[in-house]
Amino acid sequence: ADYSTQMATTGGKPAAADLSVYYCICGQLTLMSEISIDKLCARRTDNAKMLDISAHRSKLHVDPAASVYIRRGEKKCEMQHRLKCKRCGLILMYQIQQDSPEYFIMDDVLVTQGDTTVPVANAILPKAKVFVSSSATSGASSQQNTAALNRLLESGSKRAAEEAEATAKAKQSKTGLN
């Protein structure tokens, strides 16, 4: 799927007069929607907001990222097909089913143009055990992870950089790229 040009239709509804426009914390345009993120329902597990593009006209400007397994509780596991910022590589949203119209927007990673404070420290998944899917590991993604880690270090978010570094090391150990 080409996420940069994906546009949902709303069955003949008139075009929205007011669009909500959202940016990644790095400033990259990420989402335009006829509904505000504040009006979307949040998941109890990670506080991600659920955007259904079949119900709300929306345009996404994101790139696909790794698919990962997230452990939720003792015996629960979910697969997330993640989407990242085109500029900085920060994970912004995910889908539970890859071709689903439902997107789960991570908590505190998107801002509006008028926002003056940027919640960089919270721009990471809540503490959860992450397993990288074997289909998502490659040399190119390793280079992208390193670049994203460097950008996070430069932004001053030590906690985010440490978590990104741990994820990159886990990927390298799985693929044998020590």
Side-chain angles (χ1 to χ4, degrees):
D2 180 9
Y3 298 104
S4 64
T5 59
Q6 189 167 7
M7 179 64 97
T9 58
T10 56
K13 286 185 183 177
D18 292 323
L19 283 179
S20 296
V21 180
Y22 296 94
Y23 301 86
C24 174
I25 58 174
C26 74
Q28 174 68 33
L29 174 67
T30 301
L31 170 68
M32 293 183 291
S33 180
E34 67 181 1
I35 188 167
S36 169
I37 290 177
D38 297 333
K39 294 180 182 177
L40 299 174
C41 296
R43 287 185 81 188
R44 280 183 268 173
T45 55
D46 60 2
N47 207 32
K49 303 286 185 148
M50 197 272 289
L51 172 65
D52 184 349
I53 63 169
S54 64
H56 305 286
R57 194 181 330 236
S58 302
K59 187 163 186 169
L60 304 171
H61 296 278
V62 294
D63 286 333
S67 294
V68 298
Y69 290 98
I70 302 289
R71 181 168 291 167
R72 302 273 189 209
E74 284 288 318
K75 298 181 181 179
K76 295 179 185 176
C77 189
E78 92 181 2
M79 182 173 221
Q80 292 183 354
H81 304 283
R82 294 179 169 186
L83 303 164
K84 64 183 179 180
C85 174
K86 288 179 174 271
R87 181 187 294 166
C88 71
L90 181 67
I91 302 299
L92 301 171
M93 57 187 77
Y94 61 90
Q95 294 175 288
I96 302 296
Q97 297 175 355
Q98 200 156 14
D99 293 326
S100 168
E102 296 174 345
Y103 292 84
F104 295 91
I105 302 166
M106 308 296 267
D107 193 27
D108 289 338
V109 294
L110 297 183
V111 295
T112 59
Q113 190 171 14
D115 285 346
T116 56
T117 59
V118 179
V120 175
N122 295 329
I124 290 292
L125 269 177
K127 289 186 180 179
K129 188 141 185 159
V130 177
F131 301 95
V132 179
S133 170
S134 61
S135 65
T137 56
S138 70
S141 65
S142 176
Q143 291 172 348
Q144 291 169 347
N145 286 340
T146 302
L149 175 61
N150 289 335
R151 283 189 293 276
L152 288 171
L153 283 169
E154 291 171 4
S155 72
S157 178
K158 185 177 179 181
R159 181 179 143 242
E162 289 169 352
E163 289 184 23
E165 184 176 21
T167 302
K169 284 182 181 178
K171 282 184 181 182
Q172 286 178 349
S173 67
K174 279 195 168 241
T175 61
L177 298 173
N178 294 341

